[in-house]
Amino acid sequence: MPSPVSKPRTLYDKIWDDHVIDIQDDGLALIYIDRHLVHEVTSPQAFEGLRNADRAVRRPDCTLATVDHNVPTDSRKNFASVQSFISEPDSRAQCVALEENVKEFGLTYFGMTDRRQGIVHIIGPEQGFTLPGITCVCGDSHTSTHGAFGSLAFGIGTSEVEHVLATQTLLQKKAKNMRITVDGELHEGVTSKDVVLHIIGLIGTAGGTGCVIEYAGSVFRGFSMEARMSVCNMSIEAGARAGMVAPDDVTFNYLRNRPLAPKGEAWDRALAYWKSLKSDEGANFDVEINIRAEDIVPTVTWGTSPQDVAPITGTVPDPTLISDPGRRSSVERSLKYMGLTPKTRIEDIVLDKVFIGSCTNSRIEDLRSAATIVLAAGSGAKVAPNIHAMIVPGSGLVKQHAEAEGLDVIFKRAGFDWREAGCSMCLGMNPDQLSPGERCASTSNRNFEGRQGAGGRTHLVSPAMAAAAAIKGRLTDVRKFLGVDLSSSANMKVASAFDFFTDPVLPPPEPEKLAQSETSSKGLPPAETPSSVAKFTVVSGIAAPLHIENVDTDMIIPKQFLKTLKRTGLANALFYTLRKDPHTGEDTDFILNRAPYGQAKILVCTGKNFGCGSSREHAPWSLNDFGIRCIIAPSFADIFRNNTMQNGMLPVTLSDEECRALAEDAEAGLELEVDLEKQEVRRANGKPAIAFTTDPFRRHCLLNGLDDIALTLQKVGAVEKFEQRRSELWPWLDGFGYKGKKIPVRGLGKMDW
Ligand SMILES: CC(C)[C@H](C(=O)O)[C@@H](O)C(=O)O
Ligand code: SF4
């Protein structure tokens, strides 16, 4: 509800206030979700949960489903059915499961014969399903994309997908406000992708942890919606829960006449509300970052984390110059994986593949930008002979649009491979993958080890840089194609903005403060609430030490294991690429393969930002299946932390020194005991226990094995009241479907898919 206090509020504060249904003393709120996007990878277990509990989808009118991750991007000319088109059995099973689920639960669905099918984050905006001021979720970390419309949009795990399907709400704590302002004029050849890579290089992949970022300043105001989407998309790579840009005329013009955007009088009412959605003068931001547009040049990544950026004019870093041992070993590890020698000029890096696509950069403007470079290269310009270059439009409609503009002809003539819509080689859950050792310039968002194929090497770039690289056969400065004078002082200055020898500029997030109410049960649900979640009280046993920074969820469980329809059977998949030799398939000497750590119940990681990246709940599922119930680390990524607790597991945040001390115990084979009731980690040999804190509500739920859906369903009265008010204040949020008819709420009838 809107705050009665007239204190200046940020855009995030306003959207948050407008969606709170109920809030506890400790700040945990039940918030309403306006829009829910669903794809085939993270939904099967959620639908199964609904089926097992005999629950319906609460708001089919606010839910939109499509297939994207698993679909092959070959021509669909001879498409007859998913069964015959998708040859890989597990991919096929996930797509078939979604088709069946949308029928059973009465959801709007864009299948493979629908021109509107595409990457979930492309189709939401394209259809006007994404609107300003809404809350928008999806079982996918790049849901942050939709924040470009001035909405609060974030990724969730499968348990939360089930929660939203059943209740149209989520339990959330409010995040901190962070503002990143980029003012000034961008140099020619510098795009939104360079801006966001520059930001991530500056603040690090954990820089936005616990925050919602508002992007402000003249650069974002001057950006198109598509460019804003590319920036918001990668907010998750900056560790933030969400990213947003205040809506303005650019937003409204983009939305007008989109199929699902409000029309007529509803449009006018919506517009009046949307215009109020901006941060008030004097609103408080917990973190502020200011960047000069002039300091940004075309940017690429050299390593295996999106924060490993360099200007195209730069060189591969030299780890011997890095004093911090943790950072040095992380850089060494990345360079080894990437097959790069320190001090190599970035422009000397030769490629095998180029991928233009993904939810970051597969919209019409991205394709135009790539085509412009192909044209600028001259009429006979061709993809270099050493390169296979793919272009994968984000949706069937983007493809159609591009073909209407003749972009496909430009690409095909130059030797690019023009394909059908899907996630494609962004993560290779479909046949589009890198082979071991292959090097790719990619317009996607993640360069994690094995991300685009086991042993594959990814350099993140903008679409223009990707097109230039395809033609040159190596990473190259796109400005050379634009006739820009590269000797200007602006270009010299830039290098200093990329100081990859020091830690990101932001201090690590503080561990949660000891809450006053931590032992009181005030406001907490009764312990006898029905549930299916395992309890967590005390876990004791072997602890495995792990000395890696930014352990991403692709590393915890690679993509090939996300094709399951179950939550179990994933023990073998845990840290698969680290545990198995890629050539022989034999066990490596990775810590979990060594006795006694194969029996570990606790994982002690000394590196920061554990669980960053994708929202895949398969990561905690595989840890749990392996037998690991508790993870101790200096910091966790938000979605991963949430996902563990949804599964009765405990993430414990301790200081760097404490983690190192416990890792030493673990290395000595000493057992640990984690006691959630007492909130302490007990150590062998009489060493003093280490205290930790946990959010009181989560602690209570874990101790009693309470499940969020059962708790929320007890508040159905408040949810209904909220919905009534929502229909009065924001009537355009009740979905009306493609035939202009109101979609029956809680109806199980067939939608027009
Ligand atoms: C499959 C899905 C959970 C995942 C995500 O959350 O990001 C995927 O889209 C990715 O990009 O890794
Ligand atoms: S990041 Fe890649 S895999 Fe994930 S949704 Fe976007 S395109 Fe698909």
Side-chain angles (χ1 to χ4, degrees):
M1 302 292 141
S3 151
V5 211
S6 60
K7 185 170 140 235
R9 291 182 297 161
T10 64
L11 170 58
Y12 169 49
D13 295 340
K14 291 181 184 182
I15 302 178
W16 173 268
D17 289 346
D18 280 350
H19 288 85
V20 172
I21 301 169
D22 184 54
I23 189 155
Q24 293 181 182
D25 292 349
D26 65 358
L28 186 77
L30 185 66
I31 63 165
Y32 198 80
I33 300 302
D34 295 314
R35 293 289 181 261
H36 187 191
L37 288 152
V38 173
H39 66 64
E40 81 280 12
V41 182
T42 50
S43 63
Q45 298 85 350
F47 284 113
E48 189 190 48
L50 291 186
R51 208 173 285 120
N52 292 342
D54 203 16
R55 288 174 182 145
V57 172
R58 185 173 180 85
R59 297 298 301 253
D61 63 324
C62 298
T63 312
L64 177 61
T66 195
V67 275
D68 52 8
H69 288 69
N70 283 283
V71 300
T73 59
D74 303 324
S75 161
R76 293 185 198 162
K77 260 198 214 119
N78 299 322
F79 183 92
S81 68
V82 164
Q83 273 88 346
S84 56
F85 191 75
I86 306 185
S87 54
E88 204 282 310
D90 294 336
S91 288
R92 182 169 64 228
Q94 274 196 337
C95 294
V96 169
L98 183 58
E99 283 197 345
E100 285 166 1
N101 285 325
V102 295
K103 280 187 205 159
E104 181 181 341
F105 290 93
L107 304 183
T108 305
Y109 172 61
F110 298 163
M112 288 188 62
T113 52
D114 193 319
R115 267 188 293 131
R116 299 168 296 181
Q117 175 268 339
I119 306 173
V120 79
H121 310 305
I122 305 287
I123 67 168
E126 193 168 72
Q127 294 298 317
F129 184 74
T130 308
L131 296 170
I134 60 167
T135 46
C136 174
V137 297
C138 175
D140 198 286
S141 54
H142 289 101
T143 311
S144 57
T145 312
H146 308 261
F149 290 79
S151 71
L152 174 58
F154 53 94
I156 55 178
T158 297
S159 298
E160 290 180 315
V161 168
E162 184 181 337
H163 193 282
V164 177
L165 289 170
T167 68
Q168 205 60 29
T169 66
L170 270 180
L171 284 164
Q172 285 276 305
K173 270 211 164 165
K174 196 166 174 213
K176 284 190 270 185
N177 278 291
M178 174 172 191
R179 178 160 60 189
I180 299 185
T181 306
V182 185
D183 273 322
E185 289 278 332
L186 289 177
H187 295 297
E188 198 180 351
V190 176
T191 67
S192 52
K193 181 66 165 282
D194 302 301
V195 173
V196 70
L197 285 173
H198 181 97
I199 291 172
I200 297 165
L202 220 50
I203 73 173
T205 49
T209 306
C211 298
V212 166
I213 302 176
E214 178 172 343
Y215 298 99
S218 62
V219 166
F220 302 113
R221 288 268 75 84
F223 274 172
S224 66
M225 281 316 294
E226 308 217 339
R228 292 179 191 180
M229 281 189 254
S230 301
V231 173
C232 289
N233 174 277
M234 290 194 70
S235 304
I236 188 74
E237 273 65 53
R241 198 178 290 180
M244 46 173 72
V245 178
D248 58 12
D249 285 342
V250 177
T251 325
F252 312 143
N253 291 337
Y254 177 96
L255 282 171
R256 207 184 301 273
N257 299 325
R258 299 257 159 197
L260 295 179
K263 310 269 169 349
E265 197 206 328
W267 171 266
D268 297 338
R269 274 186 78 178
L271 200 61
Y273 171 64
W274 295 344
K275 286 187 172 164
S276 70
L277 295 173
K278 48 169 128 2
S279 292
D280 296 329
E281 194 76 37
N284 177 55
F285 286 90
D286 304 285
V287 190
E288 287 259 20
I289 307 275
N290 291 297
I291 295 172
R292 270 168 33 94
E294 293 74 13
D295 287 347
I296 309 175
V297 282
T299 302
V300 303
T301 59
W302 52 263
T304 54
S305 161
Q307 74 185 16
D308 296 340
V309 300
I312 185 66
T313 47
T315 54
V316 171
D318 179 356
T320 59
L321 302 176
I322 304 173
S323 50
D324 176 67
R327 183 76 195 127
R328 189 189 321 125
S329 75
S330 152
V331 169
E332 278 164 356
R333 186 193 157 84
S334 288
L335 293 184
K336 184 159 176 247
Y337 180 85
M338 293 295 289
L340 290 174
T341 314
K343 300 191 200 143
T344 304
R345 286 178 62 238
I346 300 284
E347 282 199 279
D348 287 342
I349 298 177
V350 179
L351 302 162
D352 305 296
K353 291 216 162 130
V354 168
F355 169 62
I356 300 183
S358 89
C359 56
T360 317
N361 283 128
S362 64
R363 299 176 187 82
I364 189 70
E365 286 180 13
D366 301 316
L367 304 188
R368 283 184 196 139
S369 153
T372 307
I373 300 304
V374 178
L375 289 177
S379 58
K382 289 267 181 254
V383 168
N386 56 316
I387 302 284
H388 175 229
M390 310 167 67
I391 306 200
V392 186
S395 71
L397 291 178
V398 171
K399 180 164 191 263
Q400 192 184 27
H401 195 158
E403 288 174 356
E405 292 185 8
L407 303 187
D408 59 321
V409 178
I410 299 172
F411 291 131
K412 286 194 259 184
R413 199 173 48 210
F416 285 86
D417 183 5
W418 178 246
R419 303 183 71 85
E420 295 283 339
C423 291
S424 184
M425 211 164 64
C426 174
L427 93 167
M429 278 186 78
N430 50 78
D432 304 342
Q433 290 185 21
L434 292 182
S435 303
E438 273 188 331
R439 187 181 296 285
C440 179
S442 176
T443 65
S444 55
N445 41 46
R446 291 185 173 145
N447 51 351
F448 301 147
E449 291 181 23
R451 168 75 181 178
Q452 297 193 287
R457 294 159 173 163
T458 304
H459 296 274
L460 302 177
V461 292
S462 73
M465 286 279 284
I471 288 164
K472 280 277 177 207
R474 57 182 65 220
L475 291 172
T476 191
D477 193 333
V478 68
R479 293 172 297 177
K480 292 179 182 159
F481 286 71
L482 302 169
V484 176
D485 173 12
L486 299 185
S487 61
S488 75
S489 61
N491 297 310
M492 304 303 293
K493 247 181 224 147
V494 175
S496 64
F498 294 85
D499 185 1
F500 28 63
F501 302 131
T502 57
D503 262 354
V505 292
L506 285 184
E510 278 189 30
E512 278 165 43
K513 292 265 173 340
L514 206 69
Q516 286 297 305
S517 58
E518 63 174 6
T519 49
S520 104
S521 59
K522 191 164 160 270
L524 296 175
E528 62 277 9
T529 311
S531 170
S532 55
V533 175
K535 289 185 186 181
F536 188 108
T537 47
V538 176
V539 164
S540 52
I542 303 290
L546 187 66
H547 303 286
I548 308 181
E549 267 189 347
N550 297 317
V551 173
D552 58 73
T553 51
D554 282 67
M555 191 187 279
I556 300 174
I557 182 166
K559 58 190 161 263
Q560 63 269 34
F561 300 103
L562 309 186
K563 297 187 186 186
T564 174
L565 303 177
K566 308 232 161 309
R567 292 169 190 253
T568 49
L570 295 170
N572 192 40
L574 179 67
F575 288 112
Y576 189 82
T577 26
L578 299 181
R579 277 166 70 202
K580 301 278 169 200
D581 184 295
H583 305 292
T584 62
E586 303 277 299
D587 282 358
T588 62
D589 70 345
F590 182 64
I591 189 78
L592 296 181
N593 288 338
R594 283 189 252 147
Y597 303 110
Q599 307 298 317
K601 291 201 175 132
I602 300 161
L603 187 69
V604 184
C605 184
T606 51
K608 294 188 179 75
N609 200 22
F610 190 93
C612 56
S614 148
S615 67
R616 55 190 75 168
E617 200 164 314
H618 310 68
W621 293 338
S622 63
L623 284 158
N624 205 14
D625 263 3
F626 187 87
I628 293 173
R629 299 288 317 286
C630 171
I631 303 119
I632 301 173
S635 65
F636 291 90
D638 288 338
I639 307 180
F640 176 82
R641 177 206 295 275
N642 229 357
N643 282 343
T644 53
M645 291 190 286
Q646 296 288 337
N647 287 280
M649 299 162 69
L650 182 67
V652 172
T653 309
L654 294 177
S655 70
D656 289 338
E657 299 74 53
E658 289 166 332
C659 288
R660 274 201 293 273
L662 294 180
E664 274 168 29
D665 288 1
E667 257 147 25
L670 300 175
E671 295 197 358
L672 297 177
E673 184 156 77
V674 181
D675 185 335
L676 179 57
E677 180 74 60
K678 297 217 168 90
Q679 303 200 92
E680 62 182 25
V681 183
R682 291 190 281 271
R683 306 167 70 184
N685 297 349
K687 292 184 194 167
I690 298 180
F692 64 88
T693 61
T694 320
D695 174 85
F697 175 82
R698 284 288 157 219
R699 173 165 164 256
H700 175 78
C701 290
L702 282 171
L703 287 172
N704 296 289
L706 303 184
D707 117 38
D708 285 7
I709 301 187
L711 295 176
T712 300
L713 287 173
Q714 294 176 344
K715 298 196 170 158
V716 72
V719 176
E720 278 166 3
K721 227 167 114 196
F722 183 93
E723 282 175 333
Q724 264 171 22
R725 185 167 170 275
R726 175 180 181 264
S727 295
E728 283 157 22
L729 282 179
W730 308 295
W732 61 90
L733 294 180
D734 294 324
F736 51 77
Y738 288 88
K739 291 182 178 145
K741 288 194 213 111
K742 230 174 151 63
I743 296 177
V745 175
R746 278 172 171 281
L748 296 180
K750 184 173 180 286
M751 309 305 296
D752 73 333
W753 47 272

